[in-house]
Amino acid sequence: MIEAVIFDLDGVITETAEYHFQAWKRLASEEGIPFSRADNEKLRGVSRQESLRLLLAGREISEELADDWMARKNRYYQEMIAELTPDDLLPGVATLLAELRAMDLKVAIASASRNAPDVISRLGIESQLDGCADGSSIERQKPAPDLFLYTARLLKVPPARCLVIEDAAAGIQAAQAAGMVTLGIGPAERVGEADKVMPNLEGVTAADLTRAATWRVIEAAFEPARQNHLETILTHGNGYLGTRGTFEERFENDCQGTFVHGIWADVEIGFTELANAPDWTALEVWINDHRFSMDRGTVEDYARYLDLRSGVLRRRLRWIPAGEGQRFELKFERFASLANSHLMVLRIQVQALDGPATVEIRATLNGHVDNWGYPHWDLISQGSSHQMASLEVATRSTLKTLAMSAKLTTNREDVNIEGWDDPGNPGMCLRTELEEGGSFTVDKFVSVFTSRDVCDPLSASQSKLLESTKLGYEVLFDENKAAWREFWRRSDVILEGDDEAQLAIRHALFQLRIAASSDDERVSIGAKTLSGFGYRGHVFWDNEIFVLPFFTYTQPSLARNMLMYRWHTLQGARRKAAKSGFAGAQYAWESAETGDEVTPRWVTDSRDPSKKIRIWTGDIQIHITADIAYAIWQYWHVTGDDEFMRNIGVPVILETAIFWGNRVEPLNDGYALNQVIGPDEYHHHVDNNAFTNGMVRWHLEKAIELREWLHLNAPADAVALDRSLGITAETLTLWQDMAARLKFNHDPSTGMIEQFDGFFQLPDVEWDRYKDRTTSMQSLLRIGGANQYQVLKQADVIMLLCLLRDQFDHKTWQANWDYYTPRTDHSYGSSLSPAIHAWAACELECPDLAYEHFMHAARADLQDIRGNAGDGIHAASAGGLWQALVFGFAGLQLTSDDHTVTPRLPSHWNRLSFSFCHRGEWKVIDLRRE
Ligand code: G6P
Ligand code: MG
């Protein structure tokens, strides 16, 4: 977050920008040069010399005369500032400075004006500043970043943690080039590129300033030990693919990865995984024959951040190659276009600050990639010329072809371009001689297609590339930005009073969006999105229960795609049911391309690699089938998409209900679901898990209702469906009876729900003994051990209460919360759980307690509090954050044609606002603390 605020002076702190204008105007009229207020806009923030050049608009005058004119302008200016007093601080400035000091934020002024110290002393604000830098502190003036970088060093604050307030376009550019957050003062035409724009500082609070930083995830200082974590949270993408935030030039022990939806490849144990695609970001920078790397030479003024508003990953730094005194400014920026799934763009800029230099950029498409050391690709073809490079590869076992093509453009004429045809790593090499101060910009455009998209991915990628490069970097950049703007217009959540939580929810929603395909119905979001190797890209209940509600409510077409994935994999679900000897369709616990079960049956014991551990979830964690029915029903309830319900929803819900009708076992006095795993995976082979039975009961009830609905609304379809699924009057009677009498251990006198048969008989854990633990209760007690105690990995009964919240009374809520919460492994159990506990605590009107659970979820990725964010984004936790905010803190409930809210905000939140679409109508919820 922000640690320092750097103010520009003229036009921000005081109205001296007007004096500069008056002084130039006086000079201009004396010399008969036309000069208006509008002309002056360009002079804002730029040095005296540059101002004169702009004023002359191409006219040549001698150096002597120029010096004379500048001195004269300065005299006029100084005459005016002689009158300045503390009363000339602009409205709001004094209060703001005082507030910033009180908050322990560093405060400085950075102005190009050599008169700045004089002005500051006349305004009487020296004592409120931790530093001041003016035009004489550095050589290159704004829009170069130097003045701000100099100020950050003075304050000993990393650039990415500085916020700059500027009234000039040149100043905004300079601060951005320094990697800082910007607040523009004035009209959008002038400072519209800033992160936030305000007319002036009147009434502006420190909180208004720091909020400007809630759109970026930053790496303020390079910490090699945190690289894998950073790579995950800086993942960028567009729903077609996701790319981890590794460095273009790579780094030791990094974990580079690009995952393209649907590109499954066979693998031992885990059956199938998303094959790590060739690295489109690959780039080497050579300066005077020194190869750039973060661990060579000296790196200064480093800043890296992911801009969530536009999906752009940026890095800037100053590099001094080992053994050389010369400094180079390096800037990288890249994005996968949200406007154009098959397009990625990367820009690198090298500037020689201290003298001429030879700069070479080698940009390639690196096919030497693997998944945890396992290479999936065979090379089919490659090519490179000075025009274009291309690479075509195919997965070894599944024979999916992927083609990538790249083209480079540059800002300079004098560049030598050659093809670079390394085996498996084709590219281009660009070389130029830079003069002192000169900069070399190379834009790398990459297009990717696979055999899932088109018959001939190679030619598709080549033609896409030709078409896109013609448009140029700026146009593609703007298109991408516009697509993101549209996304945020619908899906942003505004949370005032808590910058950390605000940033966390935006990051979570960003990561979910880049994992959701815009148009592919045959893929869904894996437990680790497209951001890491964890869980091999497999899709779990995480998607339907945790992730999907956000899409259902704010991006229904994307939610529909993901539900269609379950439709297209129904055949796999039929096979799974049949394999276990049941009728109907049973969804896989872990699903990939076909819907067949792909949960590994055995994994290596991390404590003793010679041993294997049996994983039972694929066999008996069966609640996912009801979870999918729930998500379909919820989608329909929210969107009113009857067509979907008719053609997809009802058929799936009925065919899966047939599975339950078969799987549920009759007892003498009812029905049972034995030998299962509920959400709480610390307990396996349990009977009558409350969550599972509760959801199955709900599923059977809905199946009956929806079948009736279909008979009313599409009788011919309904008859055909009954016939094809073999649904008869007996089936319905059976479902009804099962729903009514499926065992559900709920004691109405106490409200308690027993998590499964016999749970209450198990001993409790002596929690005191584990106070200082740093790992999960399951790894301490071992799998068999945890099974024997009343210790939960995650919300189970509580999860059920949340999903079916209308079905349970307050007594039940309270009793179960009181009982299960202290028995849950909140810190090292499942990452799925904290957000759900946040929601549940809200239902019990405990928002401050809910907040603690909420932040636990919010920090899973951004702070890596579980230590495993390197494996990929915790998608379920991200989706859970949205639900905690919307269903929990805002208490949103839909009625058939309207909605209600029950706000219960933590005491320090001032505002919670979001939109959602209910049956085609957009609604805005804006809850403010008065
Ligand atoms: C600031 C002002 C400019 C001015 C520049 C140099 O950036 O915004 O209008 O030209 O400083 O000022 P100086 O006082 O050194 O001429
Ligand atoms: Mg200014």
Side-chain angles (χ1 to χ4, degrees):
M1 296 272 124
I2 296 303
E3 287 175 14
V5 178
I6 304 175
F7 290 82
D8 171 47
L9 178 68
D10 303 314
V12 170
I13 294 277
T14 179
E15 215 18 327
T16 40
E18 177 65 18
Y19 297 177
H20 281 291
F21 166 59
Q22 296 296 347
W24 284 120
K25 176 115 184 85
R26 187 166 158 196
L27 176 84
S29 62
E30 283 167 5
E31 297 302 334
I33 301 171
F35 184 64
S36 67
R37 193 172 279 279
D39 297 331
N40 183 63
E41 288 296 272
K42 283 193 236 88
L43 271 63
R44 275 184 187 257
V46 302
S47 68
R48 203 178 299 173
Q49 225 152 6
E50 180 63 9
S51 296
L52 178 63
R53 203 185 62 78
L54 291 167
L55 184 86
L56 290 172
R59 264 222 278 162
E60 299 269 333
I61 57 170
S62 72
E63 213 172 293
E64 238 172 35
L65 196 55
D67 285 344
D68 175 57
W69 285 14
M70 285 193 288
R72 223 155 90 208
K73 178 264 169 178
N74 200 39
R75 256 197 332 272
Y76 301 155
Y77 178 71
Q78 282 176 339
E79 276 170 26
M80 284 185 271
I81 60 170
E83 309 295 321
L84 283 177
T85 72
D87 288 343
D88 290 303
L89 282 177
L90 278 167
V93 172
T95 340
L96 185 57
L97 286 176
E99 195 193 353
L100 292 171
R101 298 290 288 172
M103 284 171 67
D104 265 352
L105 285 167
K106 294 255 171 73
V107 179
I109 285 182
S111 164
S113 171
R114 285 159 201 259
N115 293 297
D118 189 14
V119 172
I120 289 168
S121 104
R122 287 173 196 280
L123 293 172
I125 53 172
E126 292 118 314
S127 64
Q128 306 195 49
L129 303 176
D130 300 292
C132 172
D134 66 54
S136 56
S137 314
I138 40 95
E139 272 174 35
R140 297 190 314 155
Q141 303 295 333
K142 302 171 191 177
D146 301 36
L147 185 68
F148 291 127
L149 291 172
Y150 172 87
T151 313
R153 255 181 261 142
L154 203 69
L155 299 176
K156 299 197 174 61
V157 173
R161 296 206 188 282
C162 295
L163 176 126
V164 169
I165 310 181
E166 260 289 353
D167 69 317
I172 297 292
Q173 280 170 37
Q176 281 172 343
M180 298 177 178
V181 182
T182 52
L183 172 68
I185 297 294
E189 308 85 75
R190 198 168 71 215
V191 290
E193 289 302 310
D195 293 294
K196 188 165 180 164
V197 177
M198 289 185 153
N200 52 56
L201 291 176
E202 193 166 1
V204 170
T205 63
D208 295 329
L209 302 186
T210 58
R211 267 190 73 70
T214 57
W215 281 106
R216 47 171 85 173
V217 176
I218 63 166
E219 180 186 31
F222 177 52
E223 292 172 60
R226 278 185 66 214
Q227 280 313 285
N228 292 163
H229 166 220
L230 259 305
E231 289 157 14
T232 295
I233 62 173
L234 299 179
T235 295
H236 44 293
N238 57 10
Y240 177 81
L241 55 71
T243 296
R244 289 169 61 80
T246 39
F247 295 131
E248 288 78 359
E249 72 285 358
R250 306 296 301 273
F251 194 80
E252 205 184 348
N253 296 327
D254 64 358
C255 183
Q256 185 276 330
T258 286
F259 304 93
V260 180
H261 260 313
I263 302 302
W264 297 103
D266 292 347
V267 68
E268 278 176 23
I269 301 165
F271 300 99
T272 183
E273 65 186 1
L274 286 179
N276 182 13
D279 180 14
W280 63 272
T281 70
L283 198 82
E284 286 176 21
V285 183
W286 293 75
I287 299 179
N288 291 339
D289 291 329
H290 296 277
R291 181 174 173 175
F292 165 69
S293 168
M294 290 293 294
D295 57 355
R296 293 182 194 185
T298 310
V299 171
E300 288 176 353
D301 302 326
Y302 176 79
R304 185 156 71 128
Y305 68 91
L306 174 64
D307 179 12
L308 303 173
R309 222 188 309 231
S310 62
V312 179
L313 178 64
R314 295 197 172 86
R315 170 168 54 139
R316 64 134 291 113
L317 56 104
R318 205 159 267 189
W319 190 50
I320 306 162
E324 291 219 12
Q326 234 179 307
R327 298 166 309 155
F328 296 88
E329 186 90 4
L330 266 61
K331 277 199 275 178
F332 299 81
E333 94 181 5
R334 68 188 203 225
F335 61 93
S337 175
L338 189 66
N340 201 329
S341 309
H342 300 277
L343 190 71
M344 294 86 82
V345 192
L346 191 159
R347 168 171 278 188
I348 170 160
Q349 246 176 314
V350 181
Q351 188 177 18
L353 297 185
D354 303 316
T358 308
V359 179
E360 190 169 308
I361 307 245
R362 297 175 194 166
T364 60
L365 300 169
N366 188 2
H368 299 294
V369 288
D370 55 56
N371 288 48
W372 283 317
Y374 187 87
H376 279 299
W377 301 103
D378 278 332
L379 180 66
I380 300 181
S381 72
Q382 72 174 76
S384 84
S385 68
H386 66 287
Q387 295 280 2
M388 197 188 271
S390 56
L391 178 70
E392 199 180 6
V393 290
T395 51
R396 285 187 184 163
S397 49
T398 47
L399 303 178
K400 292 188 197 298
T401 309
L402 179 148
M404 260 184 199
S405 302
K407 202 171 158 49
L408 306 186
T409 61
T410 163
N411 65 329
R412 295 171 73 90
E413 302 283 314
D414 59 341
V415 179
N416 178 358
I417 309 181
E418 279 168 29
W420 181 267
D421 216 6
D422 254 5
N425 187 22
M428 280 166 275
C429 180
L430 282 73
R431 197 184 174 92
T432 194
E433 303 296 331
L434 277 188
E435 62 287 356
E436 178 173 344
S439 48
F440 185 25
T441 304
V442 175
D443 294 336
K444 178 184 186 187
F445 302 88
V446 181
S447 176
V448 59
F449 278 85
T450 74
S451 50
R452 295 186 69 251
D453 310 313
V454 288
C455 304
D456 185 352
L458 184 59
S459 63
S461 72
Q462 289 172 341
S463 38
K464 164 66 68 190
L465 204 55
L466 292 177
E467 168 198 314
S468 316
T469 35
K470 254 187 239 146
L471 297 174
Y473 188 88
E474 271 72 25
V475 172
L476 299 175
F477 187 90
D478 289 346
E479 283 177 3
N480 169 61
K481 213 165 150 186
W484 275 106
R485 199 176 307 123
E486 184 52 25
F487 167 74
W488 288 116
R489 190 167 74 84
R490 295 305 194 191
S491 298
D492 189 22
V493 173
I494 295 170
L495 215 168
E496 286 179 7
D498 191 332
D499 289 349
E500 187 189 358
Q502 172 70 86
L503 176 65
I505 184 65
R506 284 187 173 144
H507 180 246
L509 302 182
F510 174 89
Q511 290 296 341
L512 293 181
R513 176 61 191 90
I514 64 171
S517 171
S518 302
D519 46 25
D520 190 342
E521 291 182 351
R522 286 169 190 272
V523 299
S524 188
I525 299 184
K528 298 282 179 193
T529 67
L530 295 175
S531 64
F533 294 90
Y535 294 122
R536 302 179 189 271
H538 295 178
V539 182
F540 294 64
W541 73 312
D542 304 34
N543 188 60
E544 277 74 14
I545 295 298
F546 295 84
V547 168
L548 210 61
F550 160 65
F551 289 105
T552 293
Y553 278 77
T554 80
Q555 302 284 336
S557 67
L558 302 184
R560 189 180 191 280
N561 285 345
M562 283 179 253
L563 291 173
M564 287 304 291
Y565 162 79
R566 296 298 188 179
W567 169 252
H568 293 299
T569 52
L570 190 56
Q571 199 57 42
R574 288 181 186 133
R575 284 191 292 267
K576 178 168 166 85
K579 241 190 196 165
S580 343
F582 298 110
Q586 178 194 11
Y587 280 103
W589 178 246
E590 295 186 27
S591 178
E593 183 166 27
T594 60
D596 289 284
E597 185 59 72
V598 291
T599 307
R601 288 167 67 82
W602 298 91
V603 295
T604 305
D605 186 345
S606 56
R607 288 204 201 170
D608 178 357
S610 69
K611 292 204 179 110
K612 294 248 183 281
I613 298 174
R614 177 73 162 92
I615 302 295
W616 288 105
T617 50
D619 305 68
I620 55 174
Q621 194 155 359
I622 57 178
H623 62 78
I624 185 166
T625 296
D627 304 334
I628 290 169
Y630 180 90
I632 291 173
W633 183 87
Q634 186 183 44
Y635 167 79
W636 178 58
H637 182 58
V638 176
T639 62
D641 186 348
D642 289 346
E643 188 237 290
F644 176 84
M645 194 42 131
R646 218 169 30 239
N647 300 324
I648 310 294
V650 180
V652 169
I653 289 178
L654 293 188
E655 195 164 346
T656 44
I658 288 175
F659 162 70
W660 291 127
N662 212 214
R663 171 67 173 79
V664 169
E665 300 152 50
L667 297 172
N668 290 337
D669 56 346
Y671 295 90
L673 262 176
N674 293 336
Q675 299 294 296
V676 303
I677 299 179
D680 164 26
E681 293 169 342
Y682 282 179
H683 297 95
H684 52 91
H685 293 94
V686 302
D687 295 344
N688 297 308
N689 165 253
F691 179 88
T692 309
N693 289 21
M695 292 299 286
V696 170
R697 180 169 75 184
W698 177 93
H699 186 164
L700 291 170
E701 284 165 356
K702 285 290 175 241
I704 297 167
E705 263 174 55
L706 287 166
R707 183 190 156 276
E708 268 168 38
W709 176 84
L710 196 68
H711 274 273
L712 270 177
N713 290 280
D717 291 1
V719 169
L721 189 63
D722 278 350
R723 191 168 310 133
S724 77
L725 295 178
I727 296 176
T728 61
E730 289 83 75
T731 319
L732 299 175
T733 316
L734 177 71
W735 288 356
Q736 223 143 26
D737 195 37
M738 278 180 174
R741 299 197 301 130
L742 179 58
K743 207 165 172 210
F744 188 70
N745 303 317
H746 186 193
D747 178 348
S749 65
T750 59
M752 283 300 297
I753 298 173
E754 190 173 27
Q755 190 179 302
F756 52 80
D757 292 352
F759 181 83
F760 291 150
Q761 265 72 61
L762 298 177
D764 268 320
V765 164
E766 290 174 52
W767 286 97
D768 279 354
R769 286 180 51 193
Y770 299 101
K771 270 204 306 271
D772 301 323
R773 73 201 164 96
T774 53
T775 182
S776 77
M777 287 307 291
Q778 191 180 49
S779 70
L780 293 171
L781 300 167
R782 310 296 287 150
I783 293 179
N787 210 20
Q788 302 307 317
Y789 285 95
Q790 291 197 38
V791 53
L792 280 67
K793 180 179 178 186
Q794 70 198 86
D796 193 304
V797 169
I798 300 289
M799 185 83 218
L800 181 72
L801 298 186
C802 286
L803 295 189
L804 305 181
R805 55 183 155 162
D806 302 330
Q807 295 189 7
F808 300 100
D809 59 10
H810 180 74
K811 182 163 67 180
T812 301
W813 268 95
Q814 192 69 54
N816 288 285
W817 171 269
D818 292 345
Y819 194 83
Y820 288 108
T821 313
R823 290 174 168 79
T824 304
D825 186 355
H826 297 288
S827 2
Y828 299 102
S830 170
S831 64
L832 275 57
S833 199
I836 299 303
H837 278 97
W839 172 4
C842 289
E843 297 287 350
L844 290 161
E845 305 298 332
C846 302
D848 289 320
L849 178 60
Y851 173 75
E852 281 172 33
H853 288 288
F854 181 84
M855 291 315 288
H856 211 90
R859 291 171 182 151
D861 286 322
L862 287 182
Q863 305 291 335
D864 195 15
I865 54 171
R866 293 169 176 273
N868 62 359
D871 296 342
I873 291 292
H874 294 87
S877 175
L881 283 179
W882 185 88
Q883 297 190 63
L885 288 172
V886 171
F887 304 142
F889 293 108
L892 178 73
Q893 295 245 36
L894 298 190
T895 55
S896 57
D897 53 359
D898 209 350
H899 65 271
T900 58
V901 289
T902 314
R904 39 228 170 171
L905 304 188
S907 40
H908 66 291
W909 288 6
N910 302 321
R911 182 179 174 206
L912 171 60
S913 174
F914 55 88
S915 317
F916 68 95
C917 185
H918 188 199
R919 304 190 174 219
E921 235 181 86
W922 282 93
K923 317 264 177 170
V924 177
I925 302 295
D926 196 349
L927 309 172
R928 291 165 191 260
R929 190 180 296 285
E930 292 313 320

